[in-house]
Amino acid sequence: MGSEQMYDGYSATQLFGQGVSYTYDDVIMHPGHICFGAHEVDLTSNVTKNIKLRVPIVSSPMDTVTEAEMAVAMATVGGMGFIHYNCTIAEQAAMVAKVKAHSPGFVVNVACMTPDTPISALDALKSTKNFSSVCVTDTGALGGKLLGIVTSRDIDFVSDRSTPLEEVMTREVVTAPAGTSAKAAQEVLRANKKGRLPIVNAAGELVALATRAVFVGERFLPPQGAPSLDGQGRLRCGAATGTREGDKERIAALVAAGVDAVILDSSQGDSTYQLQMLAYIKQQHPALDVICGNVVTGAQARRLIEAGADGLRVGMGSGSICTTQEVCAVGRGQATAVYQVSRVANQLGVPIIADGGIQNSGHICKALALGASAVMCGSMFAGTTEAPGDYFYINGQRVKKYRGMGSLDAMAKGSEARYLSDTQNLKIAQGVSGTVKDKGSVRKTVPYLAQAVRQGFQDLGVQDVPQARKALAGGSMRMEGRTGAAQAEGGVHDLLTYEKTPW
């Protein structure tokens, strides 16, 4: 054989050139040669031309997935969150501003009430949000003058629940000045044996809150790594917007709030509407990175990239709650879509985000190996502690709501613009509503996912994303399709009972 190397399996060009639409489970990657440790794998990758992430995982702009708390958590672990726009302009801009102003280690959503609020309101907050205490400010919101704190100790033995908080609140409160670091705040809590430490400015206004529970909880989390920060040291945050005329005002508000990138959110992004909005943003806000999509073909990708897109979102009908392929008969298997779009995008220097169909770390590994620069997760992060919504129980299982932005529920709140149908009288659902079980915190989930992907890259014999790109384009990354029996064999089988834990 001499120096000639024999390959079995197929290159990506061969596998995806057969006229068959494959999804992630239909494809299996062949192992490569290992000459490095998993800890040496570097997953750093771009989510846009100008934004690089240590962990190439982002959360989807869905109203049951990403608001401020999710975006903070994602940036804290090295990823990034994109806040949904199924809300008013002011609400979305406020969420972005909250993320940009947040300091890791402090409480994201600080519960505040006015002095005349009855105890019963705190009871209701405790039952829905599991908050056991509240800061009392003159405005009932963060930024108001701190008047006191009410904890369960203050109200446990008060029989009249209509009693206003000002009659039971603790007025002498240990505080720390604005600018106090998380580490310094933790030391103050330890020294004073307190559970909560309000951070106030020179005017006595509440600007942040540190709690013993947050610091104790961090002991049980895996190492978080370096957070995703902008050039000013603030957490990265993205947001979604539409392509209507009124969205120009929304984009201006997001830019003023400090957003790092916007997604032009359409189920089918190859449209004159996106091209026109992209041109407008590039003229009015040239420093803002714009991610276009969704697309599933190289032709769609080229049109948007040539118009100035800084990133692309790839996927149509592959999400767990999306029915676009079933209802509208368009879309593509996600593995095929990622590979075919990446062939064009990578040549033109624009990163793509694989959006939809991610169910486990293996899918993330396949998406990155097939040309994606990052993956976007919806159902993976729905039901987590940081996802919007309250927990409730179904048949003894703790769950949260999860719905597609194409569901009638989401459309009723305003998301029909994503499907270019805001002026139609008949709303056609392209998604469903449902529930997902409690999954804990993404601050635990994401580090484990990233480590599993590092091990996957090690098995592939590639040490970073650029190496994966080179192996994919050169044909040395080998793969093949899987039959239904092979897919079944590749999972758990032939056991009477088992418990499947991802980590």
Side-chain angles (χ1 to χ4, degrees):
M1 243 182 7
S3 61
E4 182 182 347
Q5 188 170 10
M6 179 179 292
Y7 286 115
D8 61 5
Y10 301 89
S11 68
T13 302
Q14 293 170 321
L15 182 66
F16 293 106
Q18 304 176 60
V20 178
S21 190
Y22 292 107
T23 192
Y24 294 130
D25 283 341
D26 293 323
V27 179
I28 193 68
M29 319 303 288
H30 285 195
H33 175 64
I34 296 175
C35 57
F36 52 87
H39 65 284
E40 297 178 87
V41 173
D42 182 5
L43 296 181
T44 300
S45 186
N46 282 62
V47 71
T48 70
K49 283 182 182 178
N50 303 302
I51 298 176
K52 187 169 289 188
L53 301 178
R54 180 178 60 82
V55 177
I57 302 175
V58 301
S59 62
S60 180
M62 304 171 71
D63 61 6
T64 50
V65 176
T66 308
E67 291 186 350
E69 189 171 2
M70 177 66 76
V72 164
M74 290 300 299
T76 299
V77 295
M80 188 171 174
F82 286 85
I83 294 174
H84 73 87
Y85 72 112
N86 213 13
C87 55
T88 67
I89 293 174
E91 288 170 340
Q92 189 184 25
M95 285 189 274
V96 171
K98 179 184 286 189
V99 178
K100 302 303 289 186
H102 182 76
S103 297
F106 292 91
V107 175
V108 179
N109 294 317
V110 182
C112 298
M113 291 181 175
T114 57
D116 58 353
T117 303
I119 293 175
S120 58
L122 180 53
D123 292 336
L125 189 67
K126 185 175 181 179
S127 64
T128 58
K129 300 291 187 180
N130 201 31
F131 288 167
S132 60
S133 65
V134 65
C135 293
V136 181
T137 65
D138 59 351
T139 62
L142 192 68
K145 187 173 182 179
L146 180 67
L147 303 176
I149 285 183
V150 177
T151 71
S152 57
R153 294 180 182 181
D154 297 312
I155 62 175
D156 279 347
F157 300 109
V158 180
S159 57
D160 183 2
R161 308 311 274 186
S162 65
T163 302
L165 296 180
E166 63 182 344
E167 293 187 16
V168 298
M169 68 183 183
T170 300
R171 299 174 185 270
E172 299 298 323
V173 180
V174 176
T175 63
T180 299
S181 67
K183 185 175 181 180
Q186 184 176 1
E187 180 57 30
V188 173
L189 286 171
R190 187 199 65 77
N192 288 274
K193 298 182 179 180
K194 298 293 184 181
R196 298 152 193 84
L197 179 67
I199 310 298
V200 298
N201 59 20
E205 296 166 334
L206 181 67
V207 296
L209 178 69
T211 68
R212 182 181 295 271
V214 169
F215 293 126
V216 170
E218 288 182 347
R219 296 180 185 175
F220 303 98
L221 295 174
Q224 303 291 281
S228 300
L229 303 176
D230 62 17
Q232 300 177 45
R234 304 175 300 177
L235 293 178
R236 289 282 192 191
C237 180
T241 185
T243 55
R244 296 171 296 181
E245 187 66 25
D247 288 313
K248 294 177 179 179
E249 180 183 351
R250 182 180 293 274
I251 292 166
L254 292 173
V255 171
V259 75
D260 293 290
V262 295
I263 285 176
L264 297 186
D265 191 30
S266 299
S267 63
Q268 212 283 53
D270 184 13
S271 68
T272 57
Y273 311 108
Q274 281 215 11
L275 294 175
Q276 291 167 1
M277 183 59 82
L278 177 59
Y280 169 81
I281 295 174
K282 288 302 177 182
Q283 182 181 32
Q284 297 297 317
H285 310 284
L288 180 63
D289 277 12
V290 184
I291 300 169
C292 294
N294 283 31
V295 297
V296 292
T297 71
Q300 290 179 299
R302 184 176 296 277
R303 193 156 22 240
L304 290 170
I305 290 172
E306 290 177 348
D310 299 298
L312 292 177
R313 198 170 162 204
V314 177
M316 194 170 186
S318 55
S320 65
I321 38 64
C322 186
T323 59
T324 298
Q325 293 183 21
E326 177 184 339
V327 173
C328 299
V330 293
R332 204 169 199 179
Q334 188 66 343
T336 299
V338 169
Y339 173 68
Q340 297 293 4
V341 172
S342 74
R343 292 178 66 190
V344 173
N346 289 337
Q347 286 180 357
L348 298 176
V350 173
I352 68 171
I353 304 171
D355 172 30
I358 300 292
Q359 301 171 27
N360 51 53
S361 58
H363 290 169
I364 298 175
C365 193
K366 289 177 183 178
L368 297 176
L370 291 173
S373 292
V375 299
M376 177 171 281
C377 298
S379 63
M380 284 278 288
F381 297 153
T384 59
T385 306
E386 294 83 3
D390 299 325
Y391 286 110
F392 58 99
Y393 288 85
I394 294 180
N395 298 326
Q397 178 71 60
R398 194 167 185 245
V399 300
K400 274 188 180 182
K401 287 183 179 178
Y402 177 50
R403 67 188 184 192
M405 298 305 286
S407 68
L408 292 179
D409 284 351
M411 284 188 176
K413 195 176 177 182
S415 74
E416 69 271 10
R418 184 176 193 266
Y419 296 82
L420 310 178
S421 62
D422 52 316
T423 59
Q424 294 181 185
N425 292 322
L426 295 176
K427 308 298 183 187
I428 305 301
Q430 294 185 41
V432 299
S433 299
T435 58
V436 290
K437 66 180 182 179
D438 177 9
K439 298 173 184 172
S441 174
V442 295
R443 294 182 64 189
K444 178 177 288 186
T445 301
V446 173
Y448 280 111
L449 283 174
Q451 183 57 30
V453 175
R454 291 186 188 97
Q455 292 184 196
F457 265 45
Q458 181 191 37
D459 285 342
L460 285 171
V462 293
Q463 199 166 343
D464 53 35
V465 174
Q467 277 191 23
R469 292 281 182 284
K470 186 176 180 180
L472 180 70
S476 61
M477 182 177 290
R478 312 299 285 183
M479 62 196 74
E480 58 196 14
R482 289 203 294 178
T483 64
Q487 292 179 41
E489 183 182 69
V492 179
H493 57 89
D494 296 331
L495 294 178
L496 177 62
T497 62
Y498 69 92
E499 182 178 355
K500 188 174 183 180
T501 54
W503 41 73

